Amino acid sequence: MLIVMDMHAGPVEVEAVCNEIRSLGLVPHPMPGAQRTAIGITGNKGSVEAARFESMRGVMRVIHVTAPYKLVSREFHEDNSIVKVGDVAIGGTGFVVMAGPCAVESAEQIDEVAHRVKLAGAHILRGGAFKPRTSPYSFQGMELAGLKILAGARKEHGLPIVTEAIDHESLDQVAEYADMVQIGARNMQNFSLLKLAGRCGRPVLLKRGMAATLDELLMAAEYIANEGNPNVVLCERGVRTFADHTRNTLDLSAVPFIQRTSHLPIIVDPSHGTGKRHKVAPLSCAAAAVGCDGLMVEVHPHPDSALSDGPQSVDPGQFDDLMKRVTAIIAVVGRSLNCSQ
Ligand code: PEP
Ligand code: MN
């Protein structure tokens, strides 16, 4: 349920409504807006009696929220949310590009990629230190040493860092070293990890599970928000279908659905979304045209010798070209690479 206060309601009226909500054993979420304050309610199992609030001073209207997710829904929060990662704002008029290798392999590799992606206009450096691999015999990541390399690159190149946490132990370490915690497709419904991410004090990049509906993605985001962390960015990264010409099927219709249903920013990952290098730039352009808030692209200095996801990684020269094409398209949809706020 959402209680919309009238324009003249002050802090006293808002507090009285919050107290009434608390007296029912529920949790109030006051959300001050440009014109008026709205107060969301969570914690209720069934419906809450609207009349109880409608007669209170300063209350304009009581709205039943029909979506199963509350805190992340557009019904609860009308304006787009902006999530800050370092100085980079995700969800405004800027178009944010996160780029870097699938996995951190060495300090030299990260230094070279960071230098090149920054020159090309990327805002955030990505690189996995903890890798959730399909095979136990594949490279599992440099772990803590990888995080230290990323932190060194942030200092050297001034790019904030996003990197994946795969379990409770790695989440504590990632939250210590990185600017943004990535929860990957395989962990999208690891609810205890989501709760921990909600308490980690860092913005979270939540990737769609490979067989997850968008309602499930939003419910996963709700787990994080419900722990007090509203700074969640969603990522469409493709889902498993019968199609075998791609690794996954990139579902760009997720972008307008999420934008209609939620206030959270949404970015697109055309690398995992396609699994094929030659498809990454065209799908980056399509994602930009559809109106998403940014991209996550895998870039490796020598993709053919990459220890993880080489076939879908572009090299720095190909990334330069991708950025030129994307820059032209975002201008058409009223965005730019300027993401400072
Ligand atoms: C990744 O970003 O390298 C990754 C493992 O992504 P996903 O969780 O989308 O498969
Ligand atoms: Mn990868």
Side-chain angles (χ1 to χ4, degrees), residues 101-103 126 131 207 247 269 271-272 298 308-309 312:
C102 180
R126 68 146 285 151
K131 294 305 305 174
K207 300 186 85 175
R247 178 178 179 185
D269 171 351
S271 306
H272 295 86
E298 287 187 338
S308 174
D309 284 347
Q312 68 193 33

Side-chain angles (χ1 to χ4, degrees), residues 320-340:
D320 287 341
D321 178 58
L322 177 158
M323 288 296 283
K324 286 196 189 102
R325 292 165 65 181
V326 165
T327 305
I329 289 170
I330 57 176
V332 177
V333 294
R335 290 182 184 263
S336 77
L337 289 178
N338 180 2
C339 296
S340 46

Side-chain angles (χ1 to χ4, degrees), residues 169 201 204 277:
E169 294 72 47
V204 176
R277 192 174 307 151

Side-chain angles (χ1 to χ4, degrees), residues 187-207:
N187 273 313
M188 190 206 84
Q189 285 190 314
N190 181 339
F191 300 116
S192 69
L193 190 62
L194 295 173
K195 286 185 193 169
L196 205 65
R199 297 194 293 268
C200 77
R202 296 280 184 197
V204 176
L205 178 67
L206 178 64
K207 300 186 85 175

Side-chain angles (χ1 to χ4, degrees), residues 116-337:
R116 290 296 301 267
V117 300
K118 184 172 183 180
L119 263 184
H123 307 87
I124 296 177
L125 179 66
R126 68 146 285 151
F130 298 91
K131 294 305 305 174
R133 303 304 299 277
T134 303
S135 164
Y137 308 119
S138 301
F139 177 58
Q140 303 285 307
M142 291 183 71
E143 306 187 339
L144 183 57
L147 294 179
K148 290 185 176 165
I149 290 173
L150 288 169
R154 169 182 45 221
K155 206 160 159 212
E156 181 69 25
H157 300 278
L159 289 171
I161 303 297
V162 58
T163 190
E164 181 169 355
I166 55 173
D167 51 26
H168 285 216
E169 294 72 47
S170 57
L171 194 136
D172 286 343
Q173 293 184 358
V174 166
E176 190 184 331
Y177 284 90
D179 302 279
M180 182 178 220
V181 174
Q182 177 174 326
I183 302 290
R186 288 156 192 80
N187 273 313
M188 190 206 84
Q189 285 190 314
N190 181 339
F191 300 116
S192 69
L193 190 62
L194 295 173
K195 286 185 193 169
L196 205 65
R199 297 194 293 268
C200 77
R202 296 280 184 197
V204 176
L205 178 67
L206 178 64
K207 300 186 85 175
R208 180 181 183 183
M210 54 192 85
T213 66
L214 295 175
D215 276 353
E216 287 165 342
L217 173 62
L218 288 170
M219 289 309 287
E222 185 84 8
Y223 264 90
I224 300 169
N226 192 40
E227 295 297 322
N229 186 353
N231 298 310
V232 181
V233 174
L234 305 171
C235 180
E236 162 58 35
R237 47 77 75 204
V239 288
R240 188 66 72 81
T241 69
F242 57 82
D244 59 3
H245 66 290
T246 57
R247 178 178 179 185
N248 291 297
T249 296
L250 189 64
D251 177 12
L252 290 181
S253 72
V255 174
F257 175 89
I258 293 292
Q259 288 172 338
R260 190 185 170 93
T261 318
S262 173
H263 51 88
L264 297 178
I266 174 155
I267 68 164
V268 171
D269 171 351
S271 306
H272 295 86
T274 64
K276 304 264 161 73
R277 192 174 307 151
H278 70 273
K279 291 188 168 83
V280 173
L283 270 298
S284 296
C285 292
V290 94
C292 67
D293 296 297
L295 296 174
M296 172 175 259
V297 181
E298 287 187 338
V299 184
H300 193 287
H302 311 287
D304 291 333
S305 47
L307 297 181
S308 174
D309 284 347
Q312 68 193 33
S313 301
V314 296
D315 69 25
Q318 290 162 333
F319 184 66
D320 287 341
D321 178 58
L322 177 158
M323 288 296 283
K324 286 196 189 102
R325 292 165 65 181
V326 165
T327 305
I329 289 170
I330 57 176
V332 177
V333 294
R335 290 182 184 263
S336 77
L337 289 178

